[in-house]
């Protein structure tokens, strides 16, 4: 949370999500809402609805979401 709050001041552009699977969607969406592009490790998310939520956040925020397959 502290990193996301300081993202603009730190001039961050993107993050890599390398966390346990159950956190991929939550953290990816939070990062995109904070204005960051996201590279997420595979698997993308726990289930299809969570994957779709990640894609929707990327479209809504105009950010790149990439999955490292």
């Amino acid at each position: 949370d502290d990193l996301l709050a300081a993202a603009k001041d730190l001039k961050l552009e993107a993050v890599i999500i390398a966390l346990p699977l159950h956190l991929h969607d939550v953290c990816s969406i939070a990062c995109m809402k904070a204005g960051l592009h996201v590279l997420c490790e595979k698997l993308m998310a726990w289930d299809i609805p969570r994957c779709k939520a990640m894609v929707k956040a990327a479209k809504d925020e105009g950010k790149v979401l990439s999955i490292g397959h």
Side-chain angles (χ1 to χ4, degrees):
D1 291 334
D2 292 341
L3 178 66
L4 294 181
K8 288 185 182 177
D9 292 337
L10 295 171
K11 299 182 181 177
L12 298 179
E13 295 179 19
V15 294
I16 297 171
I17 304 296
L19 297 166
L21 179 59
H22 71 279
L23 296 173
H24 285 192
D25 60 320
V26 174
C27 290
S28 293
I29 291 169
C31 289
M32 289 184 281
K33 287 185 176 182
L36 301 169
H37 301 289
V38 172
L39 171 61
C40 185
E41 68 177 10
K42 64 176 175 134
L43 299 169
M44 183 175 179
W46 188 253
D47 56 26
I48 292 172
R50 291 179 192 204
C51 292
K52 288 183 177 183
M54 291 169 69
V55 171
K56 182 179 184 318
K59 288 181 181 178
D60 290 350
E61 301 299 328
K63 297 298 167 194
V64 173
L65 170 63
S66 183
I67 309 303
H69 285 281

